[in-house]
Amino acid sequence: MQVGTVTTGEPGSAAQVTNSGTNRDAVLNFVIPKGDTGTGAQSPEIMNAYSTPSAPVTSGNALIFDRNAVTYGTAISHTPDTAPFTISQPGFYDVSFNGSLVPVRGSAFPLELLLYLEQNGTVVPGATASQTFQSDTASINISFSEVIQVTSTPTVLRIVAQGANFLYSDVSLTIYRIGTAS
């Protein structure tokens, strides 16, 4: 048995194998249809920023992220020592936050705290974390993760505090572009 010709068929046509030789000395000819043109792999777009020292925040204000850890691509940007993250390409994004909170000394208890993701000044449903403290010796780790859709750019994201004054530390925000809307 030998391989004869191998040719490209029309897209969507059936693959074919024919014998141009004999039953004893087969020469197989192949027709393989052309495949669809792919779109190529999407390059990752990611931004991770963090802040490790303890910092105060008052109700209604956004958390400050003092350092950028990982930045890849151009869809997401953040300036160190600021609160806003800017998205410059439409699509779907996974946004994940985590950090530690403690009440400031002298707070009145019970003390209710809320952190939420804000997209262009609007609270993102599901992207919130809350805690009720009973004393100023308590500490809590909180987190949330939510997929958001960005339809117009630039879009600004911030993590905003609500409820009372408190200290935050070891915070991290990761934004990852997961795809486009078709």
Side-chain angles (χ1 to χ4, degrees):
M1 177 173 74
Q2 295 179 1
V3 173
T5 61
V6 178
T7 57
T8 303
E10 291 298 315
S13 65
Q16 299 175 15
V17 179
T18 57
N19 182 0
S20 63
T22 65
N23 284 343
R24 183 164 254 196
D25 292 318
V27 178
L28 301 178
N29 300 311
F30 296 88
V31 177
I32 302 171
K34 182 178 181 179
D36 292 335
T37 302
T39 58
Q42 177 180 327
S43 294
E45 299 280 346
I46 190 166
M47 163 60 70
N48 172 262
Y50 66 97
S51 189
T52 55
S54 183
V57 66
T58 56
S59 183
N61 289 312
L63 275 58
I64 303 295
F65 293 82
D66 64 352
R67 297 174 192 247
N68 290 344
V70 175
T71 302
Y72 191 84
T74 60
I76 312 154
S77 62
H78 172 259
T79 302
D81 290 320
T82 66
F85 291 77
T86 304
I87 296 177
S88 60
Q89 293 177 14
F92 291 97
Y93 292 80
D94 179 52
V95 181
S96 298
F97 168 81
N98 65 64
S100 297
L101 309 179
V102 296
V104 295
R105 293 197 188 271
S107 296
F109 297 97
L111 178 67
E112 293 185 28
L113 304 177
L114 172 70
L115 286 179
Y116 59 86
L117 176 64
E118 185 182 82
Q119 181 177 357
N120 290 336
T122 301
V123 176
V124 174
T128 61
S130 63
Q131 175 65 34
T132 301
F133 287 98
Q134 301 300 329
S135 74
D136 62 4
T137 60
S139 175
I140 187 74
N141 292 321
I142 61 167
S143 64
F144 60 78
S145 181
E146 192 66 42
V147 173
I148 63 168
Q149 183 175 9
V150 173
T151 56
S152 63
T153 58
T155 289
V156 176
L157 303 178
R158 299 182 326 147
I159 304 297
V160 179
Q162 199 64 46
N165 300 341
F166 60 93
L167 299 173
Y168 64 95
S169 64
D170 301 316
V171 294
S172 174
L173 183 67
T174 302
I175 306 168
Y176 180 72
R177 187 170 189 254
I178 56 177
T180 58
S182 39

